Amino acid sequence: MTTETTGESGAGDSRAALAGMTVLEDGGGIAASYAGKLLADLGADVVKVECPSGDEVRRKSPFPEDEPGRERSGLHLFLDTNKRSVTLNLESSAGRRMYRDLARRCGTVITSRQIAEQRTLGLTWEDLSADAPEFNQVTITVFGIGTQREGWQAESLIASLASGISYRIGDADRAPLGLPYDAPQFQGGIHAAIAALLARRATREDGLGQHAWLSIVDIISNVMAGAGVAPFVFTGQSRGRAGTHMNAFYPWQVTPVKDGYYEVITMVDRQWNRFMELMGDPDWQHDERLENRWLAFQHTEELDAFWHPWMAERTKAELMELFGENHISFQPVHTIGEVAESEQLRAREFWAEIEHPEFEESVRLPGAPYQLSESPWAIRRRAPLLGEHTAEVLSEVGVARSELARLRRSGIV
């Protein structure tokens, strides 16, 4: 994908959807960082406040050549594009004062800082909005504010378990699993970005700011609402883990093939019939257990033995061609390596290339999750070095550059 990377200058794009919006991102971690990234990639000026040792995402793998470094984390390079980094020690009164000045200048704060810590530091929405009625803040939590679990610290696995979604993940005879790849944290970031935009829109209309606080458990529980909670509420039924097979229809499963796995689902009879034709109209298709395919899942082990060997003799590429020619909507299970080399994503111009002083060669990153014709997504600025924009950002709230040396000696920035 061709990007509009501008190196260290990060010049704005007046066509960008969120040009003119300024956000302070605080608290660290994936959720707040992803929320900030979503807004920054659409043109918002996102100022990332980091402690002097750096946000935790800088310390998370992967690292190129397995060599850790605070500028080398692949997660940081992805999450912090298009942002400006300022370091502040909030243990100091001067650091807190500058934070408050920045927050009020930005008008919107997205934070994952624990609410108890916000109260101790005097950085809650009530504190920051005391003389700025149009001020908005989004607080990302795992369990929410004002509940008995308000102070609980947790990550993605706990959110998966507490939401109930893990009850459906994994093999029936083994322990539940969490959502992989920190998906709950990324979902928290998506919803935080949406909350920030909604609050900003409301402020434009009535001039009043507000505090939006998110619970990641609530977010993931909403995913469960239709598929899991509703059947229990209406019928008292609660389906457990089904492993690679769905206990609802047959076949609806992930099936081994010669070089990996394939998803197979034939809820439409026409596709099932074409599938049978591809296998030479075998006699077993008339097995009485297949007469009602809504109940046939009760006999998966015996029925799988009829057609799994046929699948296992073929590669994903061979099956993709066969099923495509016959309009059968089965899908191969891609590995991460296959995703990275996907012709589909290449055709979408999904990947972005950036230059970074830490690396001799350009770095490839995931690109736009959407394409806008008139207000384009773009990488305008690489992920910042730790504190790279401290002098620039603080000058915008009246801190003289001559003062920075003293602040650095004092460990405040």
Side-chain angles (χ1 to χ4, degrees), residues 5-160:
T5 305
T6 55
E8 297 184 10
S9 65
D13 184 349
S14 60
R15 298 177 301 153
L18 299 181
M21 183 179 185
T22 308
V23 177
L24 190 70
E25 176 202 310
D26 169 51
I30 290 174
S33 298
Y34 192 50
K37 172 186 170 57
L38 290 171
L39 301 177
D41 290 352
L42 289 175
D45 177 15
V46 175
V47 176
K48 184 182 183 80
V49 174
E50 304 186 62
C51 63
S53 60
D55 181 2
E56 66 180 81
V57 299
R58 293 178 179 268
R59 296 185 286 277
K60 290 194 173 185
S61 59
F63 298 100
E65 300 174 351
D66 289 329
E67 295 180 7
R70 66 187 185 188
E71 312 299 347
R72 296 174 56 80
S73 162
L75 192 61
H76 155 65
L77 294 173
F78 169 66
L79 289 174
D80 292 334
T81 52
N82 287 327
K83 301 176 186 177
R84 296 191 289 169
S85 169
V86 56
T87 53
L88 285 178
N89 180 357
L90 299 184
E91 297 299 317
S92 69
S93 58
R96 294 193 295 274
R97 175 180 54 78
M98 288 184 284
Y99 180 103
R100 286 191 288 267
D101 290 343
L102 285 171
R104 288 165 182 156
R105 176 189 172 276
C106 291
T108 298
V109 167
I110 296 176
T111 181
S112 57
R113 193 175 296 277
Q114 288 282 322
I115 188 64
E117 186 179 6
Q118 290 182 37
R119 291 170 183 146
T120 299
L121 297 173
L123 301 178
T124 64
W125 175 75
E126 290 81 5
D127 296 320
L128 296 171
S129 64
D131 56 359
E134 72 286 355
F135 177 76
N136 290 305
Q137 179 166 306
V138 180
T139 299
I140 305 169
T141 72
V142 176
F143 287 101
I145 297 173
T147 74
Q148 66 270 38
R149 297 183 180 180
E150 174 184 279
W152 288 25
Q153 297 188 28
E155 292 293 339
S156 292
L157 178 59
I158 299 299
S160 295

Side-chain angles (χ1 to χ4, degrees), residues 181-201:
Y181 298 117
D182 280 306
Q185 291 288 319
F186 280 98
Q187 284 292 323
I190 293 169
H191 285 75
I194 293 170
L197 293 174
L198 292 174
R200 182 174 184 247
R201 174 167 182 167

